[in-house]
Every structure is written in C-alpha cells, then in structure tokens.
Amino acid sequence: FPEDKIELHLSQAHTAVAQRNDNPGSIAAREFDKAVYGEKSPYARVVEHAHLNRLDRKAMQEFHRAHFHPGMFIAGVVGDFKKDDMLAKLRAAFGGWPARKAALPKVPEIATSKKHKTLFVDRPKLNQTTITMGHIVDLRRDHKDFPAVQMLNQILSGGMSARMFTEVRTRKGLAYSVWGYAHIHYNRPGVFSCTALTRNEQALDTIDAMRAEVA
C-alpha cells in the first residue's frame, strides 16, 4: 500500500463526497436506499469525509490481514488446459499462503415493509426530474421464481425493444432514459426499482406510465 497511491485515492474520494449533490441521479439513489432499507442500515450507508479521515496505511494493512486469506477465496480458472497440470500450478503458486479459518460477518436483517412513502428532494435550479420507485423483494436466488424474475427483467427493461424503453420513452416521449428491474441476491432480500429521467413538467405523467408498465 504505497503512501502516494493512498493519498491519491483518498483525495479523489473526498472530491467525490464534496461533489455528490451535483448529480441528481446520485441524490436519488442515495435517498432511495435510505427509504427502502432504513437510515441506519449498512445497505444505505453513505461515505462521509469523517470516514475517509480515519483511513490510513495501517488501517488498510489491518483490513487486508483480517480478510485476505485462503479461507475467504474461491479461485476460478477458465481456458485450454489439463486439469491436473493446472491444479499443480495453483498449488505451487498458492500452497505457501497461510490458511486461516474464515470469520464471515453476519448479514444484517432487512425489514420488508408495504408502507407507502413519497419522498421529494427539491433542487429548484434543475430543469430535469429524476424519479426512482421500488420496494424490497423477499426472494433469494435459490427461490423457484428466480428464473421468472430474470425473464421479467428482460421483458421490462432488457434493452431498447423492452417495454419500459418502448412505451415510456419511444412512444410516449416522456423520458430521456428509463429502466426497471429486480436485483435478487443469494443471501438477503432483493430490491425491485424503476428509474426515469424526464422534464419537470412531465414528471407525474412519467410516474403514471412507469407504474402502468409494471402493472
């Protein structure tokens, strides 16, 4: 962990924090996560200058020592090779790496709520509205409906011929950009969300059009 590289990346991270409210998409994503997961959830955590000020070379070395070891790794190899030869090479390369038992952190619980919320972030100098709507999806990747959800994602927002783009943007001319899909995780509930960028005067019509396609 060279000091000059650490200083460079910390400087870039501080700049990103200082400028994050210049991007309406960044604001919408941040506030949506807080609304869906809760202000104190690690899934809605926001990096602040104070967090970055606590980082230094020693902190990075300690984190690396605690989490970067064979008990936390899976190696995947793809290509034209003979299995036994590749295994021998892997053992030669990594065999001396001290093994330790992995202490995986507990995945925090995510509350699933059906309470409706509407949040408005007022940025009067912007002539564009960023809309994000969605909710928790209490499915995991081992659920029988996971393949169906992937098909849903393709039909709803899998490209320029998908429903969101075709109906909301192309036919109705309501959005510069629009999409919607479900993120399904393997160890915690997923999230379904839709986002659109539109002119301020078209915001309510865009919301109605997005909801119609989801329905």
Side-chain angles (χ1 to χ4, degrees):
F1 298 102
E3 291 284 5
D4 60 332
K5 297 295 185 183
I6 295 173
E7 290 176 9
L8 171 64
H9 287 288
L10 281 176
S11 174
Q12 292 172 340
H14 277 293
T15 299
V17 171
Q19 296 179 347
R20 65 189 175 198
N21 287 339
D22 295 342
N23 184 334
S26 173
I27 299 171
R30 183 179 72 228
E31 298 305 317
F32 176 76
D33 285 347
K34 289 180 183 179
V36 170
Y37 294 117
E39 292 270 350
K40 296 182 179 180
S41 170
Y43 301 116
R45 187 171 292 155
V46 178
V47 175
E48 303 289 357
H49 292 295
H51 300 136
L52 298 173
N53 290 335
R54 292 200 293 268
L55 293 179
D56 56 19
R57 189 167 185 265
K58 182 181 178 183
M60 294 180 187
Q61 287 176 318
E62 289 175 352
F63 181 86
H64 187 275
R65 201 160 29 242
H67 298 286
F68 284 71
H69 57 80
M72 297 286 280
F73 271 76
I74 296 173
V77 186
V78 179
D80 182 13
F81 56 82
K82 295 192 183 312
K83 179 180 175 181
D84 291 342
D85 293 343
M86 180 55 66
L87 285 172
K89 291 178 180 179
L90 289 170
R91 291 190 180 102
F94 298 108
W97 197 7
R100 298 212 310 276
K101 188 175 180 179
L104 296 174
K106 184 180 178 182
V107 177
E109 293 292 326
I110 296 176
T112 56
S113 170
K114 295 186 178 179
K115 183 180 178 182
H116 178 262
K117 300 178 186 177
T118 300
L119 303 174
F120 178 65
V121 180
D122 190 15
R123 304 288 288 180
K125 293 184 179 180
L126 295 177
N127 58 9
Q128 177 178 296
T129 297
T130 300
I131 302 158
T132 296
M133 63 177 76
H135 54 82
I136 297 291
V137 179
D138 198 10
L139 300 179
R140 311 298 190 280
R141 290 196 178 190
D142 60 354
H143 194 277
K144 64 181 178 58
D145 288 336
F146 178 68
V149 173
Q150 301 314 299
M151 185 66 73
L152 176 151
N153 287 342
Q154 284 297 114
I155 293 170
L156 189 64
S157 197
M160 295 179 68
S161 62
R163 292 186 62 138
M164 279 287 196
F165 194 95
T166 300
E167 294 295 327
V168 181
R169 185 185 188 278
T170 304
R171 294 184 181 172
K172 296 178 180 177
L174 289 172
Y176 311 119
S177 183
V178 59
W179 61 91
Y181 43 82
H183 289 288
I184 305 299
H185 306 292
Y186 75 94
N187 64 347
R188 65 184 190 274
V191 176
F192 175 78
S193 66
C194 299
T195 297
L197 283 64
T198 186
R199 296 200 304 273
N200 290 341
E201 63 271 20
Q202 293 182 321
L204 296 181
D205 289 337
T206 302
I207 291 172
D208 289 342
M210 292 166 71
R211 291 182 67 180
E213 291 312 310
V214 173

